Amino acid sequence: MSNTDLAVTRPSPKYRQWLRRERSGHLTVRLAQLALLAVVLVLWEILPRAQIVNPLFTSYPSAIWPTFLDMLKTTPQQPSILLHAWSTLAATVVGFSIAMIIGTVVAAALWWWDGLYRVLDPYLVVANALPKTAFVPIFYIWLGPSLSIYGIALAISLFVTVLMIYSGFQAIDPNKIKLAQTFGASKAQILTKVVLPGSVPTFIAALKVTAGLSLVGVVVGEFQSANLGLGFLIQYGSQIFKVNIVMVAVTILAILSSLMYLAISRLEAAVMRRR
C-alpha cells in the first residue's frame, strides 16, 4: 500500500478529536444516569430509616433482594415469583404482537380505501381517547378471568398502533409512489414494494409504544382477575400491607420494561443497518 493510500485511510486529527468527544459525551451520560439512580436509591434507603417518611408505605431498597430470594421459593400458597414474571411477560408479548399484526392490517386497509378511513377516522380517534381501564370489568364479563387480560392489553395498544402506522403510510414520499405508478406498478405492488418497506421506522416506533402499553394493559388486567402475574402480586401485597412484595414486583416490572426496550433497540439497529 502506498503512502498516498495510507494517508487516505488514516483518520485525520480532527476526526479523532471528534471521536474522543463523542466517547467522552457518551461516558458522561452513562455516569450521570448511574449517579441519578444511586441518589434515588440512597434517599429511598435513608429517608424511611430516619423516619422522615413512613417505612410502612415505602419499604427499603435493602429489603428488596432478601424478599426476592424468599419469593423465589414455590409454596403451596404462592408460586415462585419467576412464574409470576413469566406470566406477565408472556401475556405482554402476545398482546403487543397481536396489536402490531392487526394494527398493520387495519392501517393497510385504511390506506387502500381512502373512503374507509374518512368513515372510521372519528371512531378511531374516540376509541383511542377512551380510558380503557374503565372496560376492565366488561372484558372480565365477556372473556373470563384469563382472556380478559389479553383483551385489555390489546384494547389499550391497538388503536394507537393503527393511527401511528397509518400516519407512517401517509408520510411516504408521494414522488416514490408516482414513480412506481409510472412503471406500471399495481396498488398491491406499491403497498408491498414502496409503502411497507418505507414505513420500517414507523413500525419500530409503534413497536416501542405498543410494548409499553401492552405491559400496562396486562398489569391492569391482572389487578382485576388474575391469580398469577406481577399485577396480581402488587394487588395482593397492597391488600395485606406487605410493601416489600409490591416493591419487588414493581422492580421486576422495571427490569422487564428495560429488557423489552433493549430488545427493540437492538432490532432497530439491526434493521437500520440492513437499510
Side-chain angles (χ1 to χ4, degrees):
M1 184 180 290
S2 66
N3 292 334
T4 304
D5 294 333
L6 289 174
V8 170
T9 57
R10 186 183 299 118
S12 67
K14 288 186 177 181
Y15 179 70
R16 289 197 298 269
Q17 187 179 10
W18 176 82
L19 284 178
R20 284 194 296 270
R21 285 199 305 268
E22 287 293 307
R23 295 191 190 102
S24 176
H26 183 73
L27 179 61
T28 301
V29 170
R30 287 288 179 261
L31 291 176
Q33 290 172 338
L34 292 174
L36 180 60
L37 177 62
V39 168
V40 171
L41 292 177
V42 168
L43 290 176
W44 183 10
E45 183 75 27
I46 291 176
L47 294 180
R49 294 192 181 279
Q51 298 300 317
I52 298 175
V53 297
N54 192 340
L56 179 64
F57 302 138
T58 61
S59 185
Y60 311 96
S62 58
I64 291 179
W65 181 248
T67 305
F68 172 74
L69 294 178
D70 186 60
M71 294 176 69
L72 282 176
K73 305 170 186 175
T74 300
T75 65
Q77 295 77 24
Q78 193 67 256
S80 169
I81 193 171
L82 296 181
L83 186 58
H84 287 283
W86 171 251
S87 176
T88 298
L89 179 61
T92 301
V93 172
V94 170
F96 76 71
S97 299
I98 295 175
M100 287 296 298
I101 293 171
I102 297 178
T104 302
V105 172
V106 173
L110 296 176
W111 176 87
W112 191 283
W113 295 290
D114 187 61
L116 179 64
Y117 171 75
R118 291 200 297 268
V119 171
L120 295 183
D121 179 46
Y123 296 102
L124 290 172
V125 173
V126 171
N128 185 51
L130 283 174
K132 311 303 185 303
T133 53
F135 291 90
V136 173
I138 298 176
F139 279 106
Y140 180 80
I141 295 171
W142 287 352
L143 302 174
S146 299
L147 292 179
S148 61
I149 297 173
Y150 298 95
I152 191 65
L154 181 61
I156 286 179
S157 57
L158 177 60
F159 297 103
V160 67
T161 303
V162 171
L163 294 173
M164 286 186 66
I165 294 178
Y166 177 76
S167 298
F169 288 174
Q170 291 296 99
I172 296 296
D173 188 355
N175 292 324
K176 294 181 179 179
I177 296 177
K178 290 179 181 178
L179 180 63
Q181 291 172 337
T182 302
F183 284 101
S186 65
K187 198 164 187 177
Q189 290 174 324
I190 293 173
L191 177 63
T192 57
K193 304 297 184 182
V194 178
V195 175
L196 289 177
S199 301
V200 168
T202 302
F203 285 125
I204 298 296
L207 189 58
K208 290 179 179 178
V209 174
T210 303
L213 291 177
S214 295
L215 181 59
V216 171
V218 167
V219 172
V220 170
E222 289 171 346
F223 284 166
Q224 171 72 23
S225 60
N227 56 7
L228 191 67
L230 296 176
F232 164 76
L233 281 182
I234 293 172
Q235 185 82 344
Y236 170 74
S238 63
Q239 289 174 346
I240 63 175
F241 288 94
K242 288 190 175 180
V243 184
N244 289 349
I245 294 177
V246 176
M247 292 302 180
V248 169
V250 170
T251 301
I252 295 177
L253 279 175
I255 293 172
L256 291 180
S257 299
S258 301
L259 292 176
M260 288 193 298
Y261 173 78
L262 289 175
I264 296 172
S265 297
R266 292 291 180 87
L267 175 64
E268 180 182 19
V271 170
M272 297 312 291
R273 279 198 301 268
R274 290 177 63 89
R275 284 168 58 87

